[in-house]
Amino acid sequence: MTDTVSQRPIVVIEDSDEDYEVTVWALRKAGVANPVRRCANAGAIAGLLAGRSGLFGSTAASHPLLVLLDLNLPGRNGLETLRDLRGDSRWQTVPVVIISTSKSPAEVSACYRLGAAGYLVKPLDLDAFAAAIQRLVAYWMETVVPAVPGDLSAYEILGGGKP
């Protein structure tokens, strides 16, 4: 991981304090030192989408590296949140991985249709969850190359200017 990548925050959208703490524990166990930013409720998500989160500042290190999204959120449907993240140009290059206990094929398909980069079925066993997060980290933070904040948009690359 490059220095800038290791400084970029991971956003966890999770209402349950216990599930959030377990997720952070699993990330730390996997060797992730990145800052973790949490959105725990509909108000925090609205602030995130409105740009009031302090993310996307002037430095590359302020741009989120990854979003881990729980689908079962009180006051706001996780699918709506996913749709809104994908529809916001600031978030379009940030991978959103769903973490859910649901294995519903309809729900999984809906998430992919709305632009999820992955769908992790959350094991109930802590060690199995930590192992799943380790694999997720190995892929998203060690294997693939993340988008570089501020790069040209697809519209600019294709000669169409800004959308």
Side-chain angles (χ1 to χ4, degrees):
M1 231 180 332
T2 66
D3 288 338
T4 303
V5 170
S6 66
Q7 296 170 5
R8 291 172 61 186
I10 296 170
V11 176
V12 178
I13 302 175
E14 171 61 69
D15 64 302
S16 164
D17 292 338
E18 183 178 324
D19 287 349
Y20 171 75
E21 291 299 326
V22 168
T23 301
V24 172
W25 167 81
L27 287 166
R28 299 300 181 230
K29 186 173 180 176
V32 174
N34 296 59
V36 177
R37 301 283 299 272
R38 180 183 184 195
C39 288
N41 56 47
I45 294 167
L48 183 79
L49 292 165
R52 296 188 306 263
S53 63
L55 299 172
F56 300 104
S58 60
T59 65
S62 69
H63 291 244
L65 179 66
L66 181 67
V67 174
L68 304 178
L69 172 61
D70 174 34
L71 288 182
N72 300 315
L73 302 167
R76 181 168 178 92
N77 181 299
L79 290 172
E80 292 171 349
T81 300
L82 175 60
R83 181 200 61 217
D84 292 345
L85 287 171
R86 291 287 137 247
D88 185 322
S89 63
R90 293 169 299 175
W91 291 94
Q92 287 176 349
T93 61
V94 180
V96 178
V97 176
I98 307 303
I99 298 182
S100 178
T101 55
S102 172
K103 294 180 185 179
S104 161
E107 194 164 67
V108 172
S109 292
C111 288
Y112 282 118
R113 280 194 309 277
L114 289 170
Y119 192 105
L120 176 89
V121 176
K122 187 185 324 184
L124 298 179
D125 175 74
L126 282 180
D127 290 329
F129 182 66
I133 292 293
Q134 171 64 48
R135 290 187 301 275
L136 181 139
V137 164
Y139 181 73
W140 286 109
M141 299 179 75
E142 298 167 10
T143 305
V144 300
V145 177
V148 178
D151 272 0
L152 295 175
S153 74
Y155 293 101
E156 293 168 311
I157 291 169
L158 296 173
K162 296 212 178 218

